Amino acid sequence: MQDWFDVAKKIESIAASAASAAGLDTTLFKADVRPADPRFGDVQINGALPYAKRQGVNPREIARSLVKALEAEPDLSGIAELSIAGPGFINIRFRPQFFLDWLKTFSDEQAFRASASLLYSQERVVVDYGSPNTAKQMHVGHIRSIVIGEAICRLLEYCGAQVTRDNHIGDWGTPYGKLFYAYKRHLDEDALKADPLGELERLYKLGSQLASEDDAVLEECREELVKLQAEDAEAMALWKNVNELSINGLKEIYDQLGVTFDHYLGESFYRDRVNQVYEELAKTGLAEESKGALVVFHPEHKRYAKQPFIIRKSDGASNYATTDLATMLYRLEHFKATRIIIVTDDRQKDHFEQLDLTTQKWFDRSDRKRPAFNHVMFGKITGDDGKPIKSRSGDPIRLKDLAAEAIERAYAVVKEKNPDLDEDELAKIAQTVGISAIKYADLSPNRTSDYVFSWEKLLSFEGNTAPYLLYAAARIQSIFRKLDPEDARNPASRASVFETEEEVALARKIMEFVGALQTTIETLRPHMLCNYLHELAGAFSGFYSANKVIVEDDGEKARRLILCERTLLALKVGLSLLGIETLERM
Ligand code: ARG
């Protein structure tokens, strides 16, 4: 037996043969195997109800005859006990021996990975995340895209997909006119060296301000932009320079967050690819002229029948929509993407719905395979007042400052908890705990809701937080550090079967690991994995406080050590998929 999914599949097939033995019409019966409410069992078969309804017979009768037939299947009755609940659900509770055998098979990282990697082995996914506009500092509004996007990449990879990380930076268009105007007149060279993004942002703001005060300046900004769009050599040289500085500045923060992109194919990359979009969308009859602009309507949709998707503005210029259409095509043709995922905040919901509808029709009508598409959107990070959080000066909090503050605060928290750590180690731990805590705070709430940012909460050692999980992992490491080498040697060969309630509950939780990965990926919601890890750590703590690990009896000690080992493994792998590295001690 493999992981949960193989178990479910196997039960599915056993149930089919039991159904036929029980005289049911097997063309109509579907077992519908699912995880059960743990109070009643581990797995349940729900298929008796819909079958009975269809046939107009008593569902409990059907369930009873199915159970009888299932009990005659040694493959199942050997590992589980069966019971009927409610109107006709069949509950299956595995025997403790089954869990022990399972944990013995899932003995290391490879075994977990081998099972998970079957889930998405057919997929080639381009994940578009991060994606800020350049020549600006990243602020707190940017963190969710980075952290959620990276977790999704890691999960997909672990589950077998081939992943391309693409940072679709906003590196073209109107802001450059104003930026260049100010750059040429007000550049502070030293500031640019010391803090490139800070200086570029200052210049852009200055250019905007000057242009808003004086029409002559506005005109000069426009001329700068026209030169850039005509790809004038001098303008292009300046653009390249600014862009390089920007990307280097962004990379400092990505490094700190443990994120490395394969590509930075930003908006500028697609500037020569927009004509094909106009031509094909016009030719396939999708786009039409409206008030001088080229637009796409979706008559079947209640809003987009009237709300146009503008793909060329009335002045003839391309826009965000055009670039994104060209991007979809490039990702299909160049990366052979079977799925495209774009991670942004929820204010872009309409844009991506229209983009998806338009792309589907475009690719269908031009005989292209259409990749699956997901807009992974997320809500705001707010203060207590429900408004987006701001720094004291009223500006958005810069990501750089947020990270620095997290590390500083983590230092204090860890020092208080463990005053004996030496300075070097303390600094390292604070770094990990601080960064992990802000990542986890971003990942653990359902991404589509806003969440209230609170330093106290995210750095707490209690609750669904990074410090709690890191601490749980470190505590297990310390059990192994203190272990007699004799005891550490191959506990699987000496383990006796689980007996206590807490042992079984923990074993069951560990076994749900791959299933948790699957639901997380199916919904593209990392909080599902966070919830799982939190429950796992909870089950461990329940076990550990009730069951002593280092006991006299060798079989008992060995089986408890297996539970410790596998819990640590699932925690380590799970956290690393969220972009969080575990600590030896803290
Ligand atoms: N640069 C955009 C922004 O800051 C996000 C880009 C997301 N990706 C895309 N292909 N549109 O809002």
Side-chain angles (χ1 to χ4, degrees):
M1 287 247 174
Q2 286 272 295
D3 62 54
W4 205 95
F5 292 97
D6 301 293
V7 175
K9 251 185 265 153
K10 187 147 183 191
I11 292 178
E12 200 99 39
S13 84
I14 294 175
S17 105
S20 124
L24 306 192
D25 179 345
T26 49
T27 57
L28 294 178
F29 177 77
K30 228 193 128 276
D32 191 12
V33 177
R34 303 193 185 186
D37 180 331
R39 283 172 303 167
F40 308 121
D42 297 305
V43 183
Q44 61 188 42
I45 298 179
N46 290 349
L49 267 91
Y51 177 85
K53 201 169 167 201
R54 243 181 118 148
Q55 304 291 84
V57 291
N58 180 350
R60 261 192 102 91
E61 280 302 312
I62 298 289
R64 258 196 294 273
S65 56
L66 262 174
V67 164
K68 217 163 160 205
L70 285 164
E71 277 168 348
E73 300 274 348
D75 270 2
L76 186 63
S77 56
I79 59 167
E81 278 160 28
L82 300 151
S83 62
I84 299 174
F89 300 107
I90 299 172
N91 282 318
I92 300 177
R93 188 181 284 295
F94 296 122
R95 296 179 206 282
Q97 181 68 48
F98 169 79
F99 287 115
L100 183 64
D101 290 345
W102 188 87
L103 287 184
K104 283 184 185 169
T105 325
F106 277 72
S107 58
D108 57 12
E109 212 269 320
Q110 265 89 18
F112 275 92
R113 186 188 281 267
S115 160
S117 68
L118 301 173
L119 296 172
Y120 283 82
S121 60
Q122 307 300 326
E123 294 240 24
R124 265 186 313 278
V125 192
V126 174
V127 186
D128 169 336
Y129 66 112
S131 311
N133 298 330
T134 53
K136 265 192 200 164
Q137 314 224 45
M138 285 194 285
H139 57 78
V140 67
H142 291 102
I143 196 174
R144 297 199 86 183
S145 177
I146 306 171
V147 169
I148 294 170
E150 179 64 20
I152 285 175
C153 289
R154 291 178 182 220
L155 276 153
L156 282 166
E157 273 171 340
Y158 199 78
C159 293
Q162 212 176 299
V163 173
T164 300
R165 292 164 163 82
D166 187 13
N167 194 344
H168 189 87
I169 49 180
D171 58 355
W172 198 249
T174 7
Y176 284 86
K178 291 169 182 160
L179 172 63
F180 288 0
Y181 172 88
Y183 188 100
K184 288 181 177 170
R185 293 164 183 81
H186 305 284
L187 174 66
D188 175 345
E189 302 255 6
D190 293 334
L192 190 69
K193 274 206 194 86
D195 176 15
L197 285 180
E199 175 62 1
L200 291 172
E201 185 170 8
R202 183 189 73 84
L203 289 168
Y204 168 69
K205 282 188 180 153
L206 182 62
S208 306
Q209 190 202 332
L210 296 174
S212 70
E213 290 163 0
D214 183 344
D215 283 347
V217 174
L218 185 63
E219 190 43 40
E220 286 194 62
C221 294
R222 263 199 212 113
E223 278 160 28
E224 290 291 348
L225 181 64
V226 169
K227 271 194 267 173
L228 177 66
Q229 282 168 338
E231 304 198 16
D232 158 85
E234 187 217 21
M236 282 307 281
L238 181 53
W239 175 79
K240 275 209 180 92
N241 183 27
V242 162
N243 225 24
E244 228 172 77
L245 288 172
S246 285
I247 291 181
N248 288 341
L250 296 176
K251 277 183 180 163
E252 274 177 35
I253 295 188
Y254 295 143
D255 279 350
Q256 202 176 18
L257 295 176
V259 174
T260 310
F261 289 96
D262 301 308
H263 302 282
Y264 285 79
L265 299 176
E267 292 178 18
S268 70
F269 179 78
Y270 297 97
R271 64 184 186 276
D272 299 332
R273 297 168 201 264
V274 292
N275 285 332
Q276 188 184 0
V277 174
Y278 304 141
E279 279 160 25
E280 291 201 19
L281 264 64
K283 207 172 72 199
T284 50
L286 269 170
E288 58 192 80
E289 295 267 346
S290 167
K291 296 181 200 136
L294 195 60
V295 304
V296 179
F297 290 106
H298 296 285
E300 76 287 2
H301 191 281
K302 61 179 186 310
R303 251 172 336 115
Y304 309 135
K306 293 244 165 61
Q307 182 182 319
F309 191 46
I310 303 173
I311 65 165
R312 190 176 59 209
K313 296 190 285 187
S314 53
D315 63 5
S318 62
N319 64 5
Y320 193 51
T322 337
T323 320
D324 266 342
L325 286 163
T327 306
M328 294 295 262
L329 181 60
Y330 186 79
R331 289 175 178 165
L332 174 73
E333 295 194 327
H334 183 80
F335 294 116
K336 308 273 180 279
T338 58
R339 177 179 298 275
I340 294 168
I341 294 176
I342 300 182
V343 189
T344 78
D345 67 48
D346 51 17
R347 288 171 304 179
Q348 300 195 35
K349 181 166 180 277
D350 281 10
H351 167 79
F352 286 113
E353 276 174 9
Q354 288 173 302
L355 176 69
D356 185 28
L357 284 172
T358 308
T359 308
Q360 285 178 23
K361 293 181 190 168
W362 173 24
F363 287 0
D364 282 353
R365 292 185 194 183
S366 54
D367 268 332
R368 292 179 171 105
K369 250 215 183 95
R370 67 153 113 118
F373 177 76
N374 304 98
H375 176 213
V376 169
M377 59 182 168
F378 52 82
K380 295 184 288 297
I381 307 180
T382 74
D384 287 331
D385 57 0
K387 299 207 183 97
I389 43 168
K390 295 249 152 74
S391 63
R392 259 184 226 111
S393 66
D395 293 327
I397 299 171
R398 296 187 309 173
L399 218 40
K400 218 159 79 177
D401 300 336
L402 184 80
E405 185 166 353
I407 295 167
E408 201 182 300
R409 285 175 182 263
Y411 180 95
V413 171
V414 176
K415 189 164 183 147
E416 194 191 317
K417 183 121 183 137
N418 195 347
D420 301 332
L421 286 168
D422 71 68
E423 225 16 70
D424 262 7
E425 192 169 6
L426 186 59
K428 272 194 210 119
I429 293 175
Q431 173 88 21
T432 303
V433 172
I435 298 292
S436 305
I438 41 179
K439 284 184 181 175
Y440 198 82
D442 255 340
L443 293 166
S444 52
N446 193 343
R447 63 174 162 76
T448 40
S449 25
D450 295 347
Y451 81 87
V452 181
F453 188 90
S454 147
W455 285 116
E456 285 67 39
K457 202 171 134 205
L458 67 90
L459 282 169
S460 166
F461 278 84
E462 244 129 272
N464 191 5
T465 67
Y468 174 72
L469 294 176
L470 289 171
Y471 189 71
R475 190 160 66 163
I476 305 176
Q477 309 255 30
S478 85
I479 300 174
F480 288 106
R481 263 199 305 278
K482 289 184 212 135
L483 200 62
D484 180 339
E486 261 323 290
D487 289 338
R489 199 170 306 134
N490 195 12
S493 65
R494 309 189 316 269
S496 53
V497 94
F498 298 130
E499 274 172 26
T500 70
E501 201 185 306
E502 296 82 12
E503 287 173 338
V504 174
L506 178 56
R508 179 185 298 124
K509 250 304 153 236
I510 300 169
M511 194 173 159
E512 287 169 15
F513 179 72
V514 178
L517 296 187
Q518 173 150 30
T519 32
T520 306
I521 294 210
E522 269 171 5
T523 55
L524 298 169
R525 290 182 193 273
H527 79 279
M528 303 259 190
L529 178 56
C530 296
N531 286 348
Y532 168 77
L533 293 173
H534 181 228
E535 285 166 16
L536 175 67
F540 180 78
S541 145
F543 154 79
Y544 194 64
S545 54
N547 298 202
K548 208 163 171 270
V549 174
I550 307 304
V551 287
E552 271 308 304
D553 184 275
D554 195 43
E556 189 175 335
K557 178 164 55 187
R559 72 179 194 245
R560 291 186 179 165
L561 282 171
I562 294 181
L563 286 170
C564 293
E565 247 180 32
R566 303 299 186 272
T567 304
L568 180 61
L569 185 61
L571 276 175
K572 264 190 173 167
V573 173
L575 286 170
S576 82
L577 295 178
L578 297 172
I580 293 174
E581 57 176 309
T582 34
L583 292 159
E584 289 282 324
R585 69 181 96 224
M586 65 188 277

